[in-house]
Amino acid sequence: MQDGRDGRSAGPSPREGFVTADMSVEAVQALAASERRFRALVTNADDGIAVLDERGMVSYFSPPLCRMLGVAEADVVGRLGLEFLAPADAERMLTLVNGSSAGTDIGPVDIQLTHADGHVLTLEGHRADRLADPDVAGIVWNLRDVSANREAQLSIVRSEERLQALVAGSSDVTLVLDATGTITFASASAERVFGHQPDALAGTYSGDLVHPDDLAVVPSIEQLMALATDQERPIRFRLRHHDGRWRWIEARFRDELANPVVDGIIVNIRDVTERHLADLALAESELRYRTIVQTAEEGIWMHDLDGRTTFANPKMASSLGVSVPELMERSLFDFVDPSDHETTLAKIGRQAAGIAEQYEWTLRKADGSRLDVLISASPLRGPGGEVAAILKMVTDIGDRKHAEAENARLVLEDSLTGLASRALVIDRLGQLLVRHGREGGLAAVLFIDLDNFKQVNDSLGHGVGDDLLCEVAERIRCAVRPQDTVGRFGGDEFVVVLDDLDGVGAAIQVAERIGEAMREPIAVDRTEIIATASIGVALTPAQDAAALMRDADSAMYRAKELGGARYELFDSSLRARATARLELETDLRRAVLERQFAVHYQPVVTLDGRVVGLEALARWNHPTRGLVPPGDFIPLAESTGLIVTLGAWILDQACRDLVGWRALPGHEGLTVAVNLSGRQLAEPGLPAIVSETLQVHGLDPAALCLEITESVLMDDTIAATTALTAIHDLGVRLAVDDFGTGYSSLLYLRRFPVDALKLDRFFVSGIDRDPQDRAIVRAVIDLAHSLNLYAVAEGVETEGQLGALSTMGCDLAQGFHWSPAVPHHMVEELLAEVLVAPMTEETRKVLAEVPFRVGPAAPAEFAEARTRVLVVDDSAAERSLLREHMTSSGWFDVVGDAGDGASAITLAAELRPDLVLLDLAMPGMDGLETLPHLLRACPTTRVAILSGFISSGLRAQAMAAGAVAVFEKGCAYGFVVEQLHAFASPEALEVPADWSRADQDAGSPSSR
């Protein structure tokens, strides 16, 4: 057939050549109908047909194929079939076709053809070689458009690849378990997360990977199959890592056993080890926090801005007298007094504004009682930064408030007697003096001290002593007017302030009434006690309260000196006595520091004049006063405690001297006696000091005799017995001095390990003319001998006295009949005599003219020890003047000076002075501001304030801040230097070991 358009063959008809000339009409018609049906099938089929000749040229393109490619058959027939292949697929198809032998069918194979509009179609083709078939004579391709199918398949593949990549790269691990719990699949992440190879996990029973303690929390397969959906929450348990460690995981299970694609239980596993540990730490922290909050001794209360409680701990609830649930139902205002509501609202407003504050407050407990608290309120902010609530830390300060009130009461009231305290008395007296200075008038102060109160405490106990003080307080209160102030200063000291007096006589009458009331026996604990009192009376005008109190105190001491149980009115002579005593005390401190003392010795002899011992006696030659009587400085040394230092030195010096004298021929048995004071005897270390002194000098303990007065023995029999027994056990001899003048008692005498009794000179002086004295002396000598003690007579001055003592059989004696106490250098002269001859008048005159010599007393380094001083004053002239006075005194070494407080603090920390002399008025930091910093920089220093004007308030303020003294700058600096030296006592300095082996604040020998 020819195409009418271009004459080219349109290709053979599928049935062409079947019609013959001899066919009937019916046959031809049937054939035509069959061909039409065939053509219709080919034309309307989904598949396309292409026939290519042996050259690969298109000889037929079925209509469906034309539709697939968007071309017309006429435009395709006669063209090379390869032209329709997509370029990317042409080479593959050419290789496929050329590589196939003739007559071989191919298919199915995907072929990519290019549509007329340029897009590529994927056709599934089957090739049949029909070149040998005359009806076809070509290569037949049956082609089906599978582009959509192939795209879907590719999408599935890509989806699977993406899913596999996601699963492999996930931080979670996916497992699939079969119905037995055996792992059938493990994602690639199993190796990265748990170290297990995915393939190696296949076939492993999942329970073998679970921690034995956690098997109970993992659901069984049956339980998983019963779940309608995934479990709501992941299950947390431990899974074994490949290295053997246990890792905490969270697992979700999904039953997909019915899904043929999965056919198992899907387990999604996430490693939560770090989160689990963090959760544990958080839980522990929360538990610790909750425990702290629940058990805290401090109330914790949280409320909103309207006061409604949002949280409270048990302590807060119990403090308010409610339970925690009850408090949660209540408001802050339920526990605030109605009168405090406005103030409470104001405080909430401040806290709502973001202000944190601390304040004391009063709450009302559920029962209406008062609760004093300290509140630390802090605003709590919400997510947006706004204040949403208020947190209150509430501390019960009721006990503290009570203590403060009690302390305030104690400041104003004596806790034992209920009388006014020292502070209240001083305050009222100060107000009284201010009023008198303005309006005039007469007032008086009575300073009252009980006589012999110590004996009551020591013998009957402190409980009885307290009862006695209470009764005394009541008697004093009853003896004065209601408007008068009665106070207790401590111990057995009382003070009465009398105002609006008509005259001196009114004050004396009150003193007499008090004295009379005290003479009545007081019944305490079934014991009657007569507690007499010494009363000092001082009247206005006075400089200040302290001066008036000091005057009354001086008068009281005068009353005691006169025997007690009396009153004394202060006059200027008492102030002079007090000033003189202060000056003498200052000089005594200097004398101890500079070793202005020497030891003199009075021989102790047998009655025929042979020297067997020496008594060591202290002598003080004052640089300006001359020789100070022992009766003046020994009691002062005892009262100040300087006697301990002085006595230790005298003991050491006496032992040192005795060693030299015992080396003289014929004096190997010489002894020395040293007096011992009550202050020394009270020192716990006294036996050790005596023992050490003997060892240092290599002295036989029997060569030393320590003398104690009867009164000293009676003061504290227990302590005295202990100390004296320890000393006597060393081998040291003991003697009772001035026997017969104290509280002589055979009972006391038997308690102490005594070796000798020394008869007081008062009795010895009259034995040659007074029968009573003679009888007393004889009795004492007989007593001593009956107790196997030596009898030693003191103060022998005449032949008559010596003769009487010889007749009575006295063992030893001493006195001016042979020799007074002489300096060290004269002792050898006495020892050179076989028998000491009685002293002649000429000898007395010679001895009286012997100059006082210190002899080998103090080591040189002690005399050179000076108080190191720092001078602070903003005036260079004042600093220069002070330096000159202090340096020239020989007592001080000025180590530096400063012109301001800051420099003074730095220098004090560097130089460590013993004393700082500090000016009050300085620019910047004044003296009172500088003082505490100085004491912190150098805690061992002492600070004295210098001021151009001194008031009682300033003095009290300076003393309270730590100053040891306050001086007026206008007075003579020589006086200031002397007074400062009194405060720079030996206690503040380093004292050489051979000077003192005892505490310098205790007592010492009463060397006369």
Side-chain angles (χ1 to χ4, degrees), residues 83-374:
E83 293 181 17
F84 298 97
L85 293 173
D89 204 37
E91 184 176 351
R92 181 181 68 86
M93 288 304 299
L94 183 62
T95 301
L96 179 66
V97 172
N98 291 339
S100 303
S101 59
T104 303
D105 292 343
I106 302 174
V109 62
D110 285 353
I111 303 172
Q112 291 185 324
L113 300 179
T114 304
H115 191 276
D117 63 6
H119 76 273
V120 177
L121 298 175
T122 300
L123 306 179
E124 182 181 86
H126 292 265
R127 191 192 80 161
D129 186 352
R130 297 292 184 266
L131 290 172
D133 187 343
D135 291 333
V136 181
I139 304 298
V140 180
W141 283 92
N142 287 310
L143 301 170
R144 174 176 292 177
D145 188 355
V146 294
S147 296
N149 188 33
R150 292 296 182 266
E151 186 64 31
Q153 290 177 346
L154 180 60
S155 177
I156 292 172
V157 170
R158 287 175 179 170
S159 177
E160 288 181 349
E161 290 176 348
R162 183 167 58 253
L163 181 59
Q164 289 178 359
L166 289 174
V167 171
S170 174
S171 59
D172 293 350
V173 177
T174 302
L175 301 179
V176 178
L177 313 179
D178 64 15
T180 67
T182 301
I183 298 173
T184 61
F185 169 80
S187 64
S189 55
E191 180 180 6
R192 184 176 64 257
V193 178
F194 294 108
H196 295 286
Q197 291 287 343
D199 294 341
L201 284 176
T204 302
Y205 176 60
S206 57
D208 293 341
L209 299 177
V210 179
H211 194 286
D213 294 343
D214 297 341
L215 288 172
V217 303
V218 180
S220 64
I221 298 296
E222 291 76 9
Q223 291 171 324
L224 292 173
M225 292 173 67
L227 292 175
T229 58
D230 294 355
Q231 76 273 17
E232 292 184 1
R233 296 191 177 191
I235 299 172
R236 184 175 292 189
F237 56 92
R238 283 165 289 184
L239 202 67
R240 188 176 65 244
H241 192 277
H242 186 265
D243 61 9
R245 293 177 298 142
W246 295 101
R247 305 289 293 177
W248 283 95
I249 66 161
E250 283 185 351
R252 289 182 181 273
F253 298 85
R254 185 177 182 84
D255 179 13
E256 295 291 344
L257 285 169
N259 186 339
V261 177
V262 179
D263 189 25
I265 304 292
I266 298 175
V267 187
N268 291 313
I269 298 173
R270 175 167 295 175
D271 186 344
V272 294
T273 302
E274 283 71 25
R275 190 175 71 186
H276 180 77
L277 294 177
D279 289 345
L280 287 179
L282 179 60
E284 183 179 344
S285 175
E286 288 180 348
L287 177 61
R288 185 165 55 248
Y289 164 76
R290 183 169 295 278
T291 301
I292 291 172
V293 169
Q294 296 299 320
T295 61
E297 286 300 311
E298 188 175 35
I300 302 174
W301 197 357
M302 192 185 304
H303 61 78
D304 61 19
L305 300 185
D306 294 324
R308 291 187 295 267
T309 300
T310 57
F311 175 82
N313 71 339
K315 177 63 177 179
M316 188 69 252
S318 64
S319 296
L320 294 172
V322 297
S323 66
V324 172
E326 288 175 318
L327 184 53
M328 294 298 294
E329 299 291 329
R330 307 284 289 275
S331 164
L332 168 67
F333 292 97
D334 293 337
F335 301 96
V336 175
D337 191 276
S339 62
D340 291 333
H341 276 207
E342 290 299 323
T343 308
T344 302
L345 283 172
K347 288 188 175 296
I348 291 178
R350 286 171 52 80
Q351 292 145 22
I355 299 173
E357 57 184 340
Q358 186 178 79
Y359 53 90
E360 292 185 5
W361 200 241
T362 299
L363 298 173
R364 292 293 174 185
K365 301 170 71 171
D367 61 5
S369 60
R370 175 190 180 102
L371 177 64
D372 292 312
V373 294
L374 175 67

Side-chain angles (χ1 to χ4, degrees), residues 65 71 190 214 274 391 642 838 966 980:
L65 187 58
V71 297
D214 297 341
E274 283 71 25
L391 174 66
L642 292 173
V966 180
L980 282 172

Side-chain angles (χ1 to χ4, degrees), residues 403-454:
E404 289 176 352
E406 182 64 15
N407 288 338
R409 185 187 68 80
L410 291 176
V411 168
L412 302 177
E413 181 182 300
D414 176 58
S415 59
L416 177 64
T417 63
L419 298 179
S421 67
R422 175 192 292 261
L424 181 58
V425 171
I426 295 296
D427 180 70
R428 288 185 179 176
L429 184 56
Q431 295 179 29
L432 180 152
L433 291 178
V434 170
R435 179 166 53 82
H436 280 208
R438 185 174 60 250
E439 302 173 0
L442 181 65
V445 169
L446 276 60
F447 204 105
I448 306 165
D449 187 270
L450 300 185
D451 300 325
N452 303 318
F453 178 71
K454 185 177 184 300

Side-chain angles (χ1 to χ4, degrees), residues 302-606:
M302 192 185 304
H303 61 78
D304 61 19
L305 300 185
D306 294 324
R308 291 187 295 267
T309 300
T310 57
F311 175 82
N313 71 339
K315 177 63 177 179
M316 188 69 252
S318 64
S319 296
L320 294 172
V322 297
S323 66
V324 172
E326 288 175 318
L327 184 53
M328 294 298 294
E329 299 291 329
R330 307 284 289 275
S331 164
L332 168 67
F333 292 97
D334 293 337
F335 301 96
V336 175
D337 191 276
S339 62
D340 291 333
H341 276 207
E342 290 299 323
T343 308
T344 302
L345 283 172
K347 288 188 175 296
I348 291 178
R350 286 171 52 80
Q351 292 145 22
I355 299 173
E357 57 184 340
Q358 186 178 79
Y359 53 90
E360 292 185 5
W361 200 241
T362 299
L363 298 173
R364 292 293 174 185
K365 301 170 71 171
D367 61 5
S369 60
R370 175 190 180 102
L371 177 64
D372 292 312
V373 294
L374 175 67
I375 295 178
S376 296
S378 303
L380 299 179
R381 300 184 182 276
E386 75 287 353
V387 175
I390 297 168
L391 174 66
K392 284 183 165 67
M393 309 300 290
V394 183
T395 304
D396 185 345
I397 59 172
D399 290 342
R400 195 194 80 190
K401 283 284 190 181
H402 177 74
E404 289 176 352
E406 182 64 15
N407 288 338
R409 185 187 68 80
L410 291 176
V411 168
L412 302 177
E413 181 182 300
D414 176 58
S415 59
L416 177 64
T417 63
L419 298 179
S421 67
R422 175 192 292 261
L424 181 58
V425 171
I426 295 296
D427 180 70
R428 288 185 179 176
L429 184 56
Q431 295 179 29
L432 180 152
L433 291 178
V434 170
R435 179 166 53 82
H436 280 208
R438 185 174 60 250
E439 302 173 0
L442 181 65
V445 169
L446 276 60
F447 204 105
I448 306 165
D449 187 270
L450 300 185
D451 300 325
N452 303 318
F453 178 71
K454 185 177 184 300
Q455 276 74 15
V456 175
N457 269 342
D458 292 347
S459 59
L460 301 178
H462 289 275
V464 173
D466 288 346
D467 292 342
L468 175 62
L469 291 174
C470 292
E471 179 61 26
V472 168
E474 184 60 28
R475 291 191 179 190
I476 295 174
R477 187 186 290 115
C478 293
V480 301
R481 301 168 301 177
Q483 67 266 34
D484 297 327
T485 298
V486 181
R488 177 172 175 242
F489 263 37
D492 59 340
E493 295 179 339
F494 298 86
V495 173
V496 176
V497 178
L498 306 174
D499 194 9
D500 296 328
L501 298 177
D502 296 332
V504 178
I508 292 175
Q509 287 177 3
V510 174
E512 289 176 340
R513 284 202 304 269
I514 293 174
E516 200 62 39
M518 299 301 298
R519 292 186 182 93
E520 290 295 323
I522 299 175
V524 180
D525 192 28
R526 299 188 301 276
T527 302
E528 281 197 347
I529 302 171
I530 297 178
T532 60
S534 298
I535 304 173
V537 182
L539 291 92
T540 55
Q543 181 180 358
D544 52 31
L548 192 59
M549 292 295 303
R550 186 172 59 247
D551 291 346
D553 189 42
S554 297
M556 183 273 293
Y557 272 108
R558 179 59 178 166
K560 277 197 175 296
E561 290 175 1
L562 296 175
R566 58 181 292 147
Y567 71 86
E568 279 293 317
L569 191 63
F570 178 82
D571 60 27
S572 57
S573 65
L574 290 179
R575 182 179 293 117
R577 285 167 57 88
T579 302
R581 186 182 186 278
L582 177 61
E583 292 175 352
L584 185 62
E585 180 181 336
T586 302
D587 291 347
L588 182 60
R589 291 184 181 277
R590 183 186 305 120
V592 171
L593 182 66
E594 297 178 354
R595 292 286 183 82
Q596 296 176 5
F597 297 93
V599 180
H600 284 202
Y601 298 92
Q602 185 174 40
V604 178
V605 301
T606 59

